[in-house]
Every structure is written in C-alpha cells, then in structure tokens.
Amino acid sequence: MRAAERTRPTRVQRNRRRWGLYAFVAVPVLVLLALISLIPALSAARAMEEGKSALTKAQAFLESGQLGKAQAEFNRARDQFDRASGHSGDVLIHLQSLVPYAGRTADTLRGLSDIGVNVSQAGADLSSGIAELPDGFDSLAPAKGRIQVGALEQLAPSVASARQLLERAQRTATGLPKSWVFPLVKDATALVREKLDTALPAIRSADALLESLPEFAGQNRPRRYFVAAQNPAELRGTGGLIGLYSILTINKGIMHLDTFESIQELPQRPAAKPPDNLGVPTLFGPGVAGYWSDANTMASPAIAGSLLETLYERTQGVRLDGTIFIDPQALTYMIDATGPVPSPELGTTLTSRSVVPFVTNKAYFRFKDTDERKEALGIAANDVWKTFLREAPPAAALRALTEAVSNRHIIIHAVDPQLQYAFETAGATGDLEAKGDFLGSIVNNFAGNKVDFYMRRSIEYDVSLEPNGFASANATLTFKNEAPAHAPPGYALGPFEGESHEHLHLSPGDNHSLVVLYSPAGTQVKSVRENGKPSFVQPENESDLRLFGSYITVNAQTSKRLQYALTLPEVWRGSNAAGDYTLRIQGQPTIRPTLAKVTLRAPPGMHFTEQPEASEVLIDGSTATWTGEVGGGVDLNLHFERGFWGRTWTQITDCFSKPLIRL
C-alpha cells in the first residue's frame, strides 16, 4: 500500500498532466484555425494588391492631369480595399486572434484595408474637386499676372475633406502593431506609414494655403510685399546679398511688380540693437537692424523679413505685408516655363542655362561701370519676371513656382500670423526646424566680393546613436575655392577697399566668411579643428537651434576643412528594443550644389530596417549611409531594432522593470 501511495499522482501532478493534455489538443486546433483562416486572408490580400495597383494608376493619372481616369481608378481602389476589409473581418480570421503572432497580423490587415479605403476616398474627392474647376489644374496657377482667387476658394472644401480622410488614415496607421506580425505585413505597414508621412504635409499645406491665399492675394485690400533679390555669389544667411529690391502689389488677385532698383538707393537707418523680441544672436552684430546688406545675415527668413519690413517702414513711412526672398535660380524655373527670354537692352537672350552665370558673374566683367552693372542685373530680373507673368502657361507656371519654393529659391515671410502659419505649413518660409537631429551649414561672405560663385562645398556627417536617445557625431565642412589666383583686382574678385577689411590682407579671389553650424538645442561641442589644428567657435542660439560660428579665410585655389566633434541631446525616440531616427540636413541655396555624405550607426545590438522605398539610403546591418545633394534640404527617417529574440527579451524585461504602482 505504501508503495502504491508513493506512485499515486499528486494534485499538482494531475493538474500539470491535464494542462499538458489541453495544450496537446489546443495547439493543433489553433494551427488548424490559422490554416483555415488563410482562405479569407488570401482573398483579402488579393483585393489589397488590386487596390494598391489601382491607387498607383490613379496617382499617375492625377499627376498627368487626366482627372476623369484618376477619379475612376481612385473609386476602383476604394472598392477593392472595402472588399479586402470585408474579407479581413471574416469570422475565421477573428478566431485566428487566438494565435498571438497571427492574430496581430490579422488586426494589421484589417487596419491596412481601412487605411486604403480612406486614402482612396481622399484621392477621389481631390480629383473630383479639381475636375469641377473651369480649367482643371490650370485654374490653380497664376495666369496673365492674376492669381485666380475664385478657383482656389472653390477647391478648398475638396482639399479639406481629403485632409480629414488622410488624418484618419494616419491615426489608424499609428495604432498598427510594429512587432509580432508576419514580415511581409510588417513591411507593408512601414511603407504605408512612410507614404502617409509624405502625403500628409502636402495636403495640410494645401489646405492651409487655400484658406489663406485669398488674403495674400489682396481679396479685401491691396497687399504690398518687399521683394528681396538675393545674390548667392556673395552669400548671406537666407541665401545671398540683397542687391536689388522691388515692391509687389496684389489687389484682388491682380499682381503688379515695380521695376527692380538697387538696394543702395534706399537710405540706411542704423539702430543701437535689433528688437529684443526677434532673438537675433549677438554673433551677427547690431548692424542687422539698420543696414540693408546685413539684415539677412542670420539663417531665419522670419527674422530677416521682420528686420527688412521694419527698416522699410522707418525709412519710407510705408507699412508692408511681408517679404519675398528670391534668388537667380528661381529665374531658371521661370524661363523653363516660358522658354528663352530676349533682352534687347542687354543685347542677349536669357536661357535657363545662362541666366544664373550672367547675373551672378558675367555681368560683373561685362559692365565695368557700377551703375551699368546694377542696371543690367535689374533689367535681367525685370525681363524674366514680366515675361513669366505674361506668357507662362498656367500648369508650367504652377510647377515653376512650386519647384522654386520647395528648393528655397523663393522664400516668403508674412506679417499676418495666420498667413505666416499657412506658409510655414506649406514649407514656403524657409525656416530651420529640428524634429529630431539637425545639421545646417550657413555661410556669410564678409570679403565684399562675389567669390562664392567659385566655391564648392561638401558636408560629411558621421553619427553614432547611443542608448536612451543620445548620440555622438563628427561633422566636417569642406570649402574649396576655385577662383582664379593672381587675377587683377575687380568688383567680382575683390579685394574690397574699406577700412574694415584692411586687417584681412585679402588678395583677388580670396574668400573670408563667417561659417555657422546649426545643431539641435542642447548640442555640445567637444572640439573644433581647422585643417587639423585646434580652433574656436562661438556658441549661441537661434530659432530653437544651437549654433556655432567661426570666421575662416579660404585663399584662391586652396581649400579649408572644419571638423566638429559633437555630443547630441535626445535625437532619436524609442526603447531598448527599437527606435526611430530623423535627420534634417539644411544648407543654403548656393550656385554650385552642396554635396553631403551621412553615415549612421545604430545603437549597440541593433540594426537598421525598413529602408524607405525609392530611397538612396544604403543599409548594411547596423550601418546606414546616404550620399547626395543637399538642395533645399534633405530629410532622412530610419528605423532600427534588435533581432526577434532580442526584442522579445527586451520587451519582457522592460515590462517587469517598470513599477505597476507609483506612490
């Protein structure tokens, strides 16, 4: 009896066997349910693939102006995604939620279907709204010197509806699982988030602009804007020295641009210091508040615009409604829209290839007299602008203005806060903004010459991401001066004759500049080197960014390299399991493109994933690299994570390491 009692199972042992039996039976049942649910899941996948194909066609038709076909494809895409949503709601797929890994996948499929429905409906609303305009897309562009306010107001409700639908889609996308889903579904989710991140800013800016443009166009009263023609051959913070100016008046959509005149015709009005509310860094000196040539030395067009508007009111007694910064590259886009522009007074025909070299370099050698040279630059700007307003086809005009704004060759500042917000949303204000990591390089030429025409610039940024959102980085700025050496003195090559430059001992072709590196607020500089030797920088703040300024001289036919070792604040967000890193690279609109190379290293134990579609980012495990031109600015968004088991273990340990109750 005692032997039998010793071999009799205890209650605990019986419970274990019972649960083992349940598991033995339940696991095959759950697997069977998962296999059976593949039937509706496959149907949902097919419908989603057809919906995606229809969306691609709809987008192509919309971009080419075939609005009827675009609307039909958007409607077909909506129907397919609606069908996919029905399949993904099948009772068998709901049962699949009993299998954790597959269940999250099923939930994600349902979410993706709903997103597809909203995106397709947004496209259909937008296509329908544009199709109802008298001339379709052409109704949105300036025509014969007039902004078509009525068409903008008519389209506004359709754009607002599309924005609401895309906002709803993004909220759904934000709530979708990022882990414990099948890889193909996870990749599709990442792609959807990326597409929405691209589309939403555009539709938000369109919505804001349609609401505000009638006021910009003088619907209720005439509006006057200071047009600052910048010359990037002599760089300033917002783009270039303001050599010419004009006043643009818009009354009930009708635009009138005065003749461009030399900025030197306007009186200077020195001030003791800039207004305190603008937050001008002391690095740029008090002259920004009273001298036209210094007003745009800082990188913020909002600050520069406010200074110009205040100075104009103090000297001319006229209150302006804003400032429009424009540089010669914008003329290139305008000529692309109109074709070559004859200029009888200059004895030449301005083309999209010749206009920038002419106004930034050749005119200085062709016209020796200062007055003739300034007059020639004004004539070129007037000829191109007036031809553009008079002759550019509407669609080509809209494309030219859009490209010029997106590449920061046209920058707008509005006095009206609501208008300014609308232009900020549209990305037309050119302000520097850090949403994560940020790297900006801004140059002010203080040599008094036009040598920036010959300068080549490059940026290298090597970032090592560290735990808890921090990072260390090495930024290298290289300047190569290809101006001719031993050239005779002149207005373009210098040297500038003035007491303030005597101590510089510059020769023709030499460049002397204030170089400012912009980083996120809280960035610390560990060291700075100029051509390998220790150097000094002055740290300050501007527009919620940290800046570091230093003066350098780059002689003709030489180069100079500035190297910064940086400690960055929290520039990525996430956890010990996974995270996201965003980088904005910002430069100036320069005559010769600024080249950049970015090397990113993931935090220890993590690797980069989710390479954006059609991106030039190269991913190799824990390292990601990007090479290209900075242009109007470059945004990089990358996701990194641990391996599957590493993520799982980290999530478990994080869960148990966090207190359930906080006293």
Side-chain angles (χ1 to χ4, degrees):
M1 287 293 295
R2 291 180 180 176
E5 289 175 358
R6 283 196 301 267
T7 59
R8 184 180 299 170
T10 66
R11 178 178 297 177
V12 173
Q13 290 173 326
R14 288 196 298 271
N15 287 338
R16 287 178 178 173
R17 291 177 182 178
R18 185 181 301 117
W19 282 111
L21 180 61
Y22 290 164
F24 181 79
V25 174
V27 169
V29 170
L30 293 177
V31 172
L32 181 61
L33 283 173
L35 292 174
I36 294 174
S37 67
L38 282 176
I39 298 173
L42 289 174
S43 299
R46 281 194 295 269
M48 290 180 68
E49 188 62 34
E50 291 179 12
K52 176 185 174 183
S53 175
L55 270 182
T56 302
K57 293 179 180 179
Q59 182 180 357
F61 285 136
L62 182 61
E63 291 174 352
S64 64
Q66 301 180 68
L67 300 173
K69 293 182 178 179
Q71 189 174 357
E73 288 297 328
F74 276 125
N75 287 332
R76 187 168 74 87
R78 180 196 58 209
D79 293 341
Q80 290 297 330
F81 285 119
D82 195 40
R83 178 184 169 194
S85 182
H87 284 304
S88 62
D90 189 281
V91 64
L92 291 176
I93 293 184
H94 278 298
L95 288 175
Q96 192 183 34
S97 61
L98 295 172
V99 184
Y101 189 76
R104 290 169 68 88
T105 298
D107 293 339
T108 304
L109 282 174
R110 283 192 292 272
L112 290 174
S113 301
D114 292 340
I115 291 171
V117 171
N118 286 315
V119 170
S120 302
Q121 186 61 55
D125 290 350
L126 192 58
S127 301
S128 175
I130 297 173
E132 291 174 0
L133 298 176
D135 298 312
F137 268 119
D138 288 354
S139 298
L140 302 176
K144 297 182 179 179
R146 178 190 290 269
I147 297 175
Q148 305 188 59
V149 177
L152 299 175
E153 291 178 323
Q154 181 180 337
L155 183 62
S158 298
V159 173
S161 173
R163 174 180 177 171
Q164 291 173 359
L165 288 165
L166 290 181
E167 298 274 13
R168 186 185 306 167
Q170 189 188 49
R171 287 194 296 270
T172 302
T174 302
L176 294 179
K178 293 184 179 180
S179 59
W180 293 86
V181 294
F182 289 131
L184 288 177
V185 177
K186 180 180 178 182
D187 291 343
T189 304
L191 181 60
V192 165
R193 289 195 184 98
E194 180 202 341
K195 291 293 187 183
L196 285 172
D197 287 343
T198 301
L200 262 173
I203 197 69
R204 285 169 179 160
S205 65
D207 190 22
L209 282 175
L210 287 175
E211 183 179 353
S212 303
L213 273 177
E215 284 301 314
F216 172 81
Q219 183 183 43
N220 298 318
R221 66 171 179 84
R223 299 275 179 168
R224 294 180 180 85
Y225 301 93
F226 186 91
V227 181
Q230 303 186 108
N231 185 355
E234 186 175 348
L235 282 173
R236 289 292 186 271
T238 61
L241 177 75
I242 301 173
L244 301 169
Y245 84 98
S246 180
I247 300 298
L248 173 67
T249 302
I250 313 179
N251 186 15
K252 298 188 183 303
I254 301 175
M255 294 182 285
H256 173 76
L257 184 72
D258 293 345
T259 300
F260 278 97
E261 302 286 351
S262 170
I263 198 74
Q264 300 301 325
E265 301 298 325
L266 293 173
Q268 313 284 357
R269 186 65 64 84
K273 64 175 184 176
D276 292 335
N277 65 311
L278 293 182
V280 177
T282 58
L283 179 67
F284 299 113
V288 297
Y291 294 96
W292 299 101
S293 60
D294 293 337
N296 63 331
T297 52
M298 68 289 302
S300 169
I303 297 177
S306 297
L307 290 170
L308 290 168
E309 292 144 15
T310 301
L311 184 55
Y312 192 85
E313 184 176 359
R314 289 171 60 204
T315 59
Q316 304 300 108
V318 177
R319 180 169 295 182
L320 298 171
D321 295 291
T323 301
I324 300 174
F325 300 89
I326 183 170
D327 64 33
Q329 285 95 325
L331 302 181
T332 298
Y333 296 111
M334 294 179 186
I335 296 176
D336 280 337
T338 63
V341 176
S343 182
E345 290 187 72
L346 297 178
T348 187
T349 296
L350 300 170
T351 68
S352 58
R353 294 187 63 182
S354 70
V355 65
V356 172
F358 179 82
V359 300
T360 61
N361 185 260
K362 291 183 179 180
Y364 299 118
F365 297 96
R366 181 173 175 180
F367 303 98
K368 301 298 182 182
D369 182 83
T370 302
D371 292 335
E372 286 184 352
R373 182 173 58 247
K374 293 177 180 177
E375 184 179 348
L377 299 177
I379 290 171
N382 283 318
D383 287 343
V384 173
W385 177 258
K386 291 181 178 179
T387 301
F388 176 78
L389 290 181
R390 184 177 61 249
E391 299 181 8
L398 184 63
R399 183 169 56 252
L401 293 175
T402 301
E403 291 179 352
V405 169
S406 65
N407 287 299
R408 299 183 78 237
H409 298 305
I410 295 179
I411 301 172
I412 305 174
H413 172 256
V415 174
D416 185 315
Q418 185 175 352
L419 269 176
Q420 179 68 4
Y421 173 76
F423 288 129
E424 285 176 359
T425 306
T429 58
D431 278 330
L432 310 184
E433 182 182 4
K435 296 181 179 179
D437 196 2
F438 184 91
L439 181 70
S441 172
I442 305 298
V443 172
N444 276 278
N445 181 337
F446 288 153
N449 56 30
K450 303 297 183 286
V451 171
D452 284 307
F453 178 85
Y454 301 95
M455 293 291 289
R456 293 189 180 275
R457 296 170 179 80
S458 62
I459 299 173
E460 292 184 36
Y461 195 43
D462 193 313
V463 185
S464 295
L465 302 180
E466 299 171 353
N468 302 319
F470 292 88
S472 59
N474 292 303
T476 302
L477 309 180
T478 302
F479 304 88
K480 185 178 182 181
N481 186 354
E482 296 183 348
H486 311 297
Y491 183 80
L493 296 176
F496 178 78
E497 296 180 0
E499 294 181 3
S500 61
H501 286 64
E502 289 180 355
H503 70 286
L504 297 176
H505 305 293
L506 299 178
S507 299
D510 292 347
N511 181 283
H512 180 73
S513 297
L514 170 63
V515 178
V516 183
L517 183 81
Y518 285 79
S519 289
T523 298
Q524 299 294 324
V525 169
K526 293 187 291 186
S527 66
V528 180
R529 292 183 174 274
E530 181 179 327
N531 279 3
K533 297 180 180 179
S535 184
F536 168 80
V537 293
Q538 180 176 337
E540 291 201 50
N541 298 305
E542 179 189 332
S543 301
D544 298 325
L545 290 169
R546 190 68 166 164
L547 62 86
F548 306 95
S550 57
Y551 288 88
I552 65 169
T553 298
V554 187
N555 301 119
Q557 296 296 309
T558 67
S559 61
K560 187 146 290 186
R561 187 174 64 255
L562 289 175
Q563 297 170 295
Y564 306 80
L566 307 172
T567 300
L568 303 175
E570 297 182 24
V571 293
W572 66 268
R573 63 186 185 277
S575 65
N576 291 328
D580 296 285
Y581 171 80
T582 299
L583 169 65
R584 172 73 173 178
I585 310 173
Q586 186 70 67
Q588 290 167 288
T590 53
I591 295 173
R592 301 190 182 194
T594 299
L595 303 178
K597 179 181 180 181
V598 178
T599 302
L600 304 173
R601 293 175 174 81
M606 299 193 187
H607 62 276
F608 288 106
T609 63
E610 300 179 9
Q611 181 176 351
E613 186 182 73
S615 171
E616 296 180 359
V617 176
L618 301 178
I619 294 177
D620 183 11
S622 62
T623 303
T625 57
W626 174 86
T627 304
E629 295 181 359
V630 174
V634 176
D635 292 298
L636 301 179
N637 300 284
L638 291 169
H639 178 78
F640 50 87
E641 60 185 28
R642 297 185 184 277
F644 173 76
W645 293 112
R647 292 198 307 276
T648 303
W649 176 250
T650 301
Q651 289 166 352
I652 293 173
T653 55
D654 284 350
C655 177
F656 283 105
S657 65
K658 295 177 181 178
L660 298 177
I661 300 175
R662 295 183 182 273
L663 299 178

